[in-house]
Amino acid sequence: MPALTTRLSGLAPYALAALRIMAGLLFLAHGSQKLLGIPPRTNPAPELLSLFGIGGILELVGGALIVLGLFTRPVALLLSGEMAVAYFMFHAPKNFFPTLNGGDAAILFCFVFLYLAAAGPGALSLDGGRRI
């Protein structure tokens, strides 16, 4: 069993990179839908300087930076805060239970980004080639 644990430990930076890239792509998709209408949205586009518009900018630009692994720690910390604010402002007032208030994704994004802020980008990142 120790050999398996050692081999799996060697994959940890790549698993972290996979988590970072997939979370970034999903987040980017939310911003893309809000701001660009890709994929098509059911609601009208938000005003750019509204809370939803600023959220869309953070999701689009922040998601892209997370995918690239560029400025991962500060961007992930900012996005974690955005998701905490989104949860408590827009989801929690609807219902106590996240599965009923639609906030389960916001909570998950919040903690994934908080983990990325602490752990860093993992392998396959532009931050890996920079001194941070």
Side-chain angles (χ1 to χ4, degrees):
M1 196 62 120
L4 177 62
T5 304
T6 302
R7 270 189 295 200
L8 289 176
S9 294
L11 295 176
Y14 297 98
L16 178 57
L19 176 67
R20 172 182 51 80
I21 291 166
M22 291 310 301
L25 286 171
L26 288 170
F27 211 61
L28 189 147
H30 282 276
S32 172
Q33 185 178 40
K34 279 185 184 106
L35 299 179
L36 308 174
I38 302 168
R41 57 183 168 260
T42 54
N43 298 325
E47 294 289 325
L48 207 53
L49 295 179
S50 69
L51 282 176
F52 286 109
I54 292 168
I57 293 167
L58 288 171
E59 291 161 7
L60 187 68
V61 175
L65 290 171
I66 292 291
V67 168
L68 295 171
L70 185 60
F71 306 114
T72 304
R73 289 178 192 265
V75 169
L77 189 60
L78 177 69
L79 298 181
S80 177
E82 177 201 3
M83 287 294 93
V85 168
Y87 181 78
F88 287 110
M89 282 186 74
F90 300 107
H91 297 285
K94 293 178 187 174
N95 193 295
F96 176 77
F97 299 101
T99 53
L100 297 177
N101 68 26
D104 42 356
I107 292 170
L108 189 56
F109 274 126
C110 178
F111 283 94
V112 166
F113 290 137
L114 188 61
Y115 177 68
L116 289 174
L124 310 172
S125 71
L126 293 178
D127 281 343
R130 298 176 48 242
R131 287 210 139 142
I132 54 171

